[in-house]
Amino acid sequence: MVHISRICFRKYGNFVDNLRLYVRGGTGGMALPRLGGHGGNGGNVWVVATKNMTLKRIKDKYPLKRFVGGSGGNSSVRALKGEKGKDEEILAPVGITVTSDDGRILGELNAEGDRVLVAKGGSGGTPCSSFEPKKGQVKHIRLDLKLIADLGLVGFPNAGKSSLLTALSNATPQIASYAFTTLRPQIGKVAYPDYKQISIADLPGLIEGAHLNRGMGHKFLKHVERTKQLLFVVDVGGFQLASKTPLRSAFEAVQLLTKELELYKEELVSKPALLVVNKMDLPEADEMLEELKEQLQNPEDFTNLLPDDMIPKNFITFRHVVPVSALTGFGVDHLKSCIRLSLDEYAAMETGDTHQEKLQALRQQSHECFRNEDKVSLSSGVGGTQRTTS
């Protein structure tokens, strides 16, 4: 029996995925001119990835959002070299991109233990600085969280993403017959009998124009960037946001979602993707599914159904098209198998690519080594001939 566990960020209150902080490196220590002593350097400020941490916790624990490195020790008769100031560490969750206020990327925290230096401490006083210490760097930084998950659910509001994750996890997220029931990202974890775990991110629904930050817009799309694969979820009967908006068929929904991802960041549509066709318990669902499959086989023939500005540059070829009913449970077990198969295939391909890259690098190193040996041999031979002649 597949066991599912659920991680829900809501237990920490309002979800926070962006935080602005003030950071300052420590001031260097005073020197001792009469003995030529050196002051200690000020402490640095680091952002460090750690387990079980959220931006909400940082915000609550440090309401002033100020982090300052320790001051360097002063030079003295007993210790001519002052001690270095204590480093300040900001413990942050994995998946953080650290940027300056002007948007320049300072570093990324992709794994536990990753560190990014955000403010360097000032140097201590020395003879070169007329024994005057320097102040540490001062800046404002932003911690921007992008969820790291194996799969990210992509779909329009009310496509049944939360219901699907509920069917997978037996959890109870907010579900209703109106749009935008998912307002905060959540991660569900699927644990298989062989202890393999797969994480699935349930993200707020898109609307047309999301790339322009409409609806949940960029708040959703940035979280898709770090998922390994995409799990498109569409209603077999189509989608209509409101009575005044057009009814989109399942095929149109797929292509509009593709276009929104493409307009936000084109690389996203190159990710491996699966398609879940939900609500197969509806009347005439089988006929609508067959029509969708036919359209997906030759999408170019059905572009007339889409507005000209919403036709994707490249159509996605899905690894699996899985019909399910989150309401009745139909197809859910098959979906779990397809998810596992797709990720295993992806991992195997990644391993193969990495192996080829390492092999190519070793061959290159070996080739350069032989070339250097040939040069040394040639140089030795020439030198030997000259010595014999003399």
Side-chain angles (χ1 to χ4, degrees):
M1 187 71 180
V2 177
H3 175 69
I4 313 291
S5 64
R6 181 97 165 168
I7 298 175
C8 180
F9 290 109
R10 289 181 184 172
K11 69 179 180 179
Y12 302 122
N14 294 328
F15 181 74
V16 177
D17 59 5
N18 190 281
L19 200 59
R20 185 173 184 259
L21 306 174
Y22 170 88
V23 294
R24 175 164 62 84
T27 302
M30 297 291 292
L32 190 63
R34 64 189 179 89
L35 295 179
H38 291 200
N41 294 333
N44 302 321
V45 182
W46 299 82
V47 181
V48 183
T50 188
K51 279 184 178 179
N52 304 321
M53 181 55 66
T54 68
L55 294 184
K56 178 68 166 54
R57 283 185 175 180
I58 299 174
K59 183 180 178 182
D60 291 344
K61 188 174 181 180
Y62 305 98
L64 297 178
K65 294 178 281 188
R66 293 171 59 90
F67 297 86
V68 180
S71 298
N74 296 329
S75 175
S76 65
V77 175
R78 291 185 177 182
L80 291 179
K81 174 64 177 176
E83 291 185 0
K84 183 182 181 301
K86 184 180 179 182
D87 286 354
E88 177 75 4
E89 292 188 346
I90 306 170
L91 302 182
V94 175
I96 289 290
T97 299
V98 185
T99 63
S100 58
D101 249 0
D102 60 4
R104 184 168 54 90
I105 295 178
L106 304 178
E108 294 186 341
L109 306 178
N110 295 320
E112 186 183 359
D114 284 357
R115 303 165 63 87
V116 176
L117 177 64
V118 292
K120 194 172 182 181
S123 55
T126 65
C128 296
S129 64
S130 300
F131 299 98
E132 289 294 323
K134 293 184 178 179
K135 294 182 178 180
Q137 292 179 331
V138 179
K139 63 181 75 169
H140 281 93
I141 63 169
R142 290 186 180 274
L143 305 184
D144 190 35
L145 175 65
K146 296 177 183 177
L147 295 178
I148 297 177
D150 296 311
L151 287 161
L153 295 178
V154 178
F156 287 122
N158 213 27
K161 300 187 302 300
S162 294
S163 298
L164 179 63
L165 205 55
T166 299
L168 290 169
S169 66
N170 297 323
T172 55
Q174 185 178 356
I175 300 170
S177 59
Y178 55 84
F180 297 116
T181 52
T182 301
L183 299 177
R184 304 180 185 94
Q186 300 181 65
I187 291 182
K189 281 198 173 180
V190 182
Y192 289 83
D194 60 354
Y195 304 107
K196 170 75 174 180
Q197 288 194 342
I198 291 174
S199 56
I200 304 176
D202 179 19
L203 306 167
L206 285 174
I207 65 169
E208 294 179 43
H211 67 283
L212 299 173
N213 211 19
R214 294 175 186 161
M216 302 303 287
H218 296 172
K219 203 170 182 65
F220 159 85
L221 288 167
K222 71 173 186 176
H223 292 296
V224 180
E225 293 182 44
R226 289 193 178 181
T227 57
K228 294 178 182 176
Q229 299 190 14
L230 305 178
L231 190 63
F232 281 61
V233 183
V234 297
D235 184 332
V236 69
F239 166 71
Q240 186 175 23
L241 182 63
S243 58
K244 294 182 179 180
T245 58
L247 174 64
R248 302 294 190 187
S249 68
F251 172 76
E252 291 175 85
V254 169
Q255 305 313 330
L256 289 172
L257 289 168
T258 303
K259 187 64 176 180
E260 289 297 340
L261 294 177
E262 186 179 84
L263 289 171
Y264 175 72
K265 187 165 286 188
E266 202 162 334
E267 308 91 82
L268 291 180
V269 297
S270 64
K271 288 178 179 285
L274 296 83
L275 174 62
V276 176
V277 186
N278 195 17
K279 304 188 181 180
M280 287 299 296
D281 52 284
L282 294 176
E284 301 180 359
D286 291 334
E287 291 80 357
M288 290 186 284
L289 175 63
E290 289 307 314
E291 181 182 7
L292 173 60
K293 286 182 176 179
E294 181 184 345
Q295 291 169 328
L296 290 174
Q297 286 179 353
N298 300 289
E300 299 86 356
D301 297 341
F302 299 93
T303 53
N304 61 299
L305 300 174
L306 301 165
D308 290 340
D309 60 343
M310 292 305 291
I311 299 174
K313 291 181 183 177
N314 299 293
F315 296 98
I316 292 179
T317 301
F318 294 99
R319 292 186 167 215
H320 302 278
V321 177
V322 188
V324 305
S325 170
L327 181 65
T328 66
F330 166 76
V332 172
D333 287 338
H334 179 54
L335 174 59
K336 292 175 186 176
S337 300
C338 290
I339 289 171
R340 175 68 185 271
L341 177 62
S342 182
L343 286 168
D344 285 350
E345 288 173 349
Y346 176 81
M349 287 174 59
E350 266 198 330
T351 303
D353 291 343
T354 304
H355 177 73
Q356 287 297 326
E357 288 174 6
K358 289 182 178 178
L359 188 60
Q360 186 65 29
L362 287 171
R363 286 173 177 168
Q364 184 68 24
Q365 290 175 7
S366 178
H367 182 63
E368 290 177 359
C369 182
F370 284 131
R371 281 172 53 189
N372 291 335
E373 286 179 0
D374 290 342
K375 288 180 182 179
V376 171
S377 298
L378 181 60
S379 175
S380 300
V382 171
T385 302
Q386 289 175 341
R387 285 194 293 271
T388 304
T389 305
S390 61

